[in-house]
Amino acid sequence: VTLDLKGASTADVYELTGILLPESPPYRIAGHLNKRGKIWTFNDFSGRLGSSDISGDIAWDAEKKPPFLKGKLVSRNLDLKDLAGFIGADEQPEDESRVIPDRRLKLDKLSTMDADVEFKGERVKTTNLLDNMVMKVKLDNKVLRFQPLSFDMADGKIKADIAVDARKEPPLTDVDVHFSRLSLEKLFAPLAKRFGEENVTAGTIGGRAQLKGHGASLRDILG
């Protein structure tokens, strides 16, 4: 059948299908829904997620224990704020004096399925610093991994491996970030306009950061 699906948030799909998706802005997608054997597929779909376009293919095996989702998604013009629901950053902190989101991540349902999904944002349209975003997401036995999460930035590249272990209480987040050949001139270009180019550092920078944090919200993890 041809399926046209729309709603206020992709997270609401869980009640209909059992597929666990993050919070999102309003969306609408349409594609071809098929069932072959025990596998449901939603192929050649395309549409909008907030102000981003999205297209791709997914397969859902509800007979596996736990059920398994596999997918490949592409956005040719990605607005990063449309992905804020992945990290609980789609709502402002309750305490207005704080900056980092404190909404509790919904990790209690991670045991209901496993997943292997690849997402690519070919062009990031909300900033001139980021492009070519690649995110490979795997969910296995309540461990959520982004391996890798990478993007081009300021003529260089940032690559991160992120694991969220929801088997622990509070959940444990492990982050390993590598960045290479980032242009300081481009990173600090907004400051140059304010303070003068002669007062802003130029050159390139690279490095690595390894971080661990416990918590069920982005603020707790970073704390």
Side-chain angles (χ1 to χ4, degrees):
V1 298
T2 297
L3 177 66
D4 191 317
L5 191 64
K6 63 180 178 179
S9 171
T10 52
D12 298 336
V13 173
Y14 179 80
E15 302 300 332
L16 179 68
T17 65
I19 299 175
L20 186 63
L21 297 174
E23 296 284 350
S24 80
Y27 70 93
R28 181 167 187 168
I29 55 175
H32 303 293
L33 181 68
N34 301 279
K35 188 179 184 186
R36 294 174 180 167
K38 298 178 180 180
I39 310 297
W40 287 93
T41 61
F42 189 35
N43 295 326
D44 300 322
F45 68 81
S46 61
R48 306 289 300 180
L49 182 73
S51 58
S52 304
D53 68 278
I54 191 161
S55 61
D57 303 276
I58 60 173
W60 174 244
D61 186 348
E63 299 295 324
K64 276 193 173 183
K65 304 297 180 186
F68 182 72
L69 175 73
K70 187 173 182 63
K72 192 169 185 179
L73 313 175
V74 175
S75 176
R76 291 179 173 80
N77 288 282
L78 172 66
D79 190 336
L80 277 181
K81 71 175 183 289
D82 294 331
L83 300 182
F86 271 96
I87 58 172
D90 52 331
E91 296 179 8
Q92 293 298 317
E94 292 183 7
D95 184 346
E96 295 182 357
S97 68
R98 296 183 179 271
V99 176
I100 300 173
D102 54 5
R103 182 170 64 82
R104 185 178 177 87
L105 299 173
K106 297 179 180 179
L107 303 177
D108 55 310
K109 294 179 181 177
L110 290 186
S111 61
T112 62
M113 60 176 275
D114 288 340
D116 184 354
V117 178
E118 179 178 342
F119 175 83
K120 184 174 184 179
E122 295 181 350
R123 176 178 173 270
V124 179
K125 63 182 182 179
T126 47
T127 172
N128 58 5
L129 286 177
L130 302 183
D131 248 333
N132 193 30
M133 177 183 176
V134 174
M135 181 168 60
K136 294 186 178 181
V137 183
K138 290 189 177 182
L139 174 59
D140 183 16
N141 189 29
K142 294 188 72 174
V143 179
L144 180 64
R145 290 186 171 88
F146 299 83
Q147 290 183 317
L149 169 60
S150 67
F151 45 87
D152 296 340
M153 180 176 183
D155 293 338
K157 193 171 190 69
I158 294 180
K159 179 182 177 182
D161 289 338
I162 304 171
V164 181
D165 189 346
R167 297 172 301 181
K168 302 182 183 298
E169 183 57 43
L172 172 66
T173 299
D174 194 333
V175 181
D176 189 359
V177 184
H178 295 256
F179 51 99
S180 59
R181 299 195 61 80
L182 301 184
S183 168
L184 294 174
E185 185 176 2
K186 287 196 172 183
L187 284 173
F188 295 142
L191 295 178
K193 293 180 180 179
R194 181 175 178 182
F195 298 107
E197 292 184 5
E198 69 280 4
N199 296 317
V200 176
T201 300
T204 59
I205 189 173
R208 181 184 185 186
Q210 292 176 287
L211 310 171
K212 289 181 183 290
H214 292 269
S217 71
L218 186 60
R219 190 178 82 193
D220 289 342
I221 292 168
L222 293 177

